[in-house]
Amino acid sequence: MMYSLRPRRNEIHVSPDSEKNSDDNVGLAKSARRRKSTKRNITDSQLMREDVSTGGQRKKRALSPAPLDIHDVEKKNTTFGGRLGYACLNTLLRNEKPATEATFCSRTCRIDTIKKKGADWVKDLGRKNVEDLLKIIEWNERNYIRFMRISSGMFPFASHETYGYSLAYCAPLLAEVGALAKKYGHRLTVHPGQYTQLGSPREAVVRSSIRELEYHCEMLDLIGVGPDGVMVIHGGGVYGDKEATLARVKETIRVDLPKNVRDRLVLENDELCYTAADLLPLCKDLEVPLVFDYHHNMLNPSPGVPPAQIMEEANEIFRKRGIKPKQHYSEPRDGAVGIMEKRAHSDRCYSLPEGLPEDMDLMIEAKDKEQAVLQLHRMYNLHPVNHEYLRPPRDK
């Protein structure tokens, strides 16, 4: 059945909240002593301190933010020569001050707002998101990060059954993104959310899922990325019968997905429902690549099948399709107990996974986003690191 689809080293730690931490309670003498032994963070906005002049009038005096130490990292060796990437949000740019100067790609709204302000207003949010994506790519290039997952929220409600819209209005700007990524050799991918359920027994859910994939595919097509611009989704729920659900997933992919959508589709093992071994037969049969997620495999391993074997078979599908292999890596939070706590990603990753192929792309799924990548660059001496852009882990 075909569905009717939508129309359309010694460095300085400075917290993103350093302005809050460097308040009037910091003694000037103490700050001066600390500045003698540490580098000054010049990327944050200058703090302003109110002083009382002799005439009783208040005036503002610039005060540099108090510097913080960034500890050395443990140095490690690796043969890995691929790209490390992060997902959707650059924390440093998102936390720029004032807030009006923040750079991010997930401006959104509510449907009630669309009803009040109209389609052109929500489309303008998408345009602003794309403009900021250009800035993020430039920042990534300056910091040797050439792999990024684009936010699914770039165009709010674009896949909605009622309020959805075509991205053609933003085609020239999206083409600029593609040209910039091509110029620098950056890889851009997407990861539609958890509600993309191709195996749902409910037809409405499947229809909505296909619209969501169409939206992501249209965005990638207009950007102009090649086959490496994949769309990663999970197998979804099991709905009480894993085998029957997998059969529905297979049928939806084989019969109902438009060719351009299917050509970009990639499946990923998850931590609760589908192991890599569960998905691999379907992926091999349909030649749909499989992204191996190390964290998910740790929590939901494939019985009797070593990760190295799964990765080799999975990466063979990538090679057969002419797509550069990619994998996902994250670590559980310290002190996490039980699978539900261990599902949460840690702020940073403190190693690269064992058995990592030398030439592939690895998405670092850590809460600290670009900071987690920069830390791995430091640990393994993968690329030079600009110390001014380093920040401490969120829990510090």
Side-chain angles (χ1 to χ4, degrees):
M1 172 181 179
M2 292 294 291
Y3 292 106
S4 175
L5 306 177
R6 71 178 179 88
R8 334 246 125 130
R9 296 163 210 223
N10 290 329
E11 300 137 356
I12 301 171
H13 260 314
V14 181
S15 166
D17 293 323
S18 59
E19 294 180 325
K20 298 177 182 178
N21 298 329
S22 302
D23 56 20
D24 290 355
N25 294 324
V26 179
L28 292 178
K30 182 178 179 181
S31 297
R33 289 196 301 271
R34 294 177 67 185
R35 283 196 292 270
K36 290 180 181 179
S37 60
T38 54
K39 295 181 180 179
R40 177 183 176 189
N41 170 42
I42 62 174
T43 58
D44 285 354
S45 302
Q46 283 192 317
L47 300 180
M48 304 304 294
R49 181 186 182 95
E50 282 193 343
D51 286 336
V52 179
S53 68
T54 55
Q57 295 178 342
R58 289 186 179 270
K59 63 181 180 179
K60 294 196 173 184
R61 181 163 60 87
L63 178 67
S64 298
L68 299 173
D69 289 331
I70 284 184
H71 299 295
D72 287 338
V73 295
E74 179 184 358
K75 300 300 183 180
K76 301 181 179 181
N77 296 319
T78 183
T79 59
F80 176 69
R83 294 174 288 196
L84 298 182
Y86 66 95
C88 306
L89 177 72
N90 183 303
T91 66
L92 194 68
L93 299 180
R94 181 64 181 90
N95 288 295
E96 287 178 329
K97 306 296 182 184
T100 53
E101 299 299 318
T103 300
F104 62 105
C105 301
S106 54
R107 295 170 181 82
T108 189
C109 63
R110 296 183 176 184
I111 288 179
D112 284 346
T113 308
I114 301 176
K115 292 178 180 178
K116 293 176 182 177
K117 297 190 176 183
D120 288 342
W121 184 86
V122 72
K123 287 181 179 181
D124 191 52
L125 291 181
R127 185 180 292 106
K128 292 176 181 176
N129 287 335
V130 180
E131 289 171 349
D132 274 8
L133 180 57
L134 288 165
K135 299 176 185 177
I136 294 173
I137 292 174
E138 291 283 7
W139 190 96
N140 287 346
E141 173 63 19
R142 292 195 300 272
N143 291 275
Y144 303 95
I145 301 176
R146 299 182 173 110
F147 178 31
M148 185 182 181
R149 177 185 301 162
I150 302 175
S151 171
S152 291
M154 287 279 290
F155 295 92
F157 295 100
S159 68
H160 194 275
E161 185 173 21
T162 302
Y163 298 99
Y165 49 91
S166 168
L167 308 185
Y169 80 98
C170 209
L173 195 55
L174 287 168
E176 287 186 36
V177 170
L180 191 63
K182 184 178 180 179
K183 172 185 175 182
Y184 293 143
H186 288 204
R187 183 177 190 175
L188 303 176
T189 64
V190 294
H191 194 337
Q194 61 181 329
Y195 299 109
T196 307
Q197 302 273 337
L198 297 183
S200 173
R202 297 176 54 198
E203 181 177 326
V205 173
V206 177
R207 289 168 58 88
S208 177
S209 299
I210 295 176
R211 289 197 307 271
E212 184 71 0
L213 290 175
E214 282 194 303
Y215 149 60
H216 283 85
C217 188
E218 181 184 11
M219 180 167 59
L220 292 172
D221 287 348
L222 289 174
I223 290 174
V225 298
D228 288 351
V230 296
M231 305 185 299
V232 184
I233 64 170
H234 295 288
V238 297
Y239 302 101
D241 189 334
K242 182 183 290 187
E243 293 304 318
T245 302
L246 281 172
R248 289 194 296 270
V249 171
K250 184 175 181 179
E251 185 70 3
T252 300
I253 294 173
R254 188 180 65 84
V255 176
D256 297 305
L257 291 188
K259 185 179 185 304
N260 64 330
V261 174
R262 177 174 168 174
D263 285 347
R264 293 196 184 276
L265 187 69
V266 172
L267 297 182
E268 174 194 352
N269 58 304
D270 67 79
E271 73 276 33
L272 294 177
C273 297
Y274 294 98
T275 67
D278 288 333
L279 298 174
L280 192 54
L282 181 154
C283 289
K284 294 169 71 172
D285 188 31
L286 296 180
E287 292 191 352
V288 172
L290 174 67
V291 165
F292 183 82
D293 187 298
Y294 289 87
H295 186 187
H296 295 164
N297 186 75
M298 178 193 72
L299 299 175
N300 188 23
S302 300
V305 187
Q309 178 182 336
I310 291 175
M311 283 188 282
E312 178 55 36
E313 295 185 35
N315 289 344
E316 180 59 32
I317 305 173
F318 275 109
R319 288 189 285 267
K320 187 179 295 186
R321 290 280 308 279
I323 303 172
K324 188 176 182 65
K326 71 183 292 282
Q327 296 174 357
H328 295 172
Y329 183 69
S330 56
E331 297 173 0
R333 291 181 178 276
D334 288 342
V337 178
I339 188 170
M340 300 310 290
E341 289 187 9
K342 290 180 178 180
R343 293 175 65 194
H345 297 160
S346 61
D347 292 341
R348 305 285 174 98
C349 295
Y350 294 92
S351 67
L352 289 175
E354 295 182 6
L356 181 65
E358 293 184 13
D359 185 22
M360 54 145 337
D361 293 330
L362 185 67
M363 178 61 65
I364 303 300
E365 297 185 314
K367 297 294 185 182
D368 280 346
K369 306 295 184 176
E370 84 294 339
Q371 294 297 316
V373 173
L374 294 178
Q375 178 158 306
L376 289 169
H377 282 181
R378 296 172 63 207
M379 293 177 69
Y380 290 94
N381 196 29
L382 296 173
H383 294 287
V385 173
N386 186 333
H387 298 177
E388 294 179 6
Y389 294 150
L390 296 179
R391 298 294 182 268
R394 299 194 324 164
D395 60 1
K396 299 295 188 294

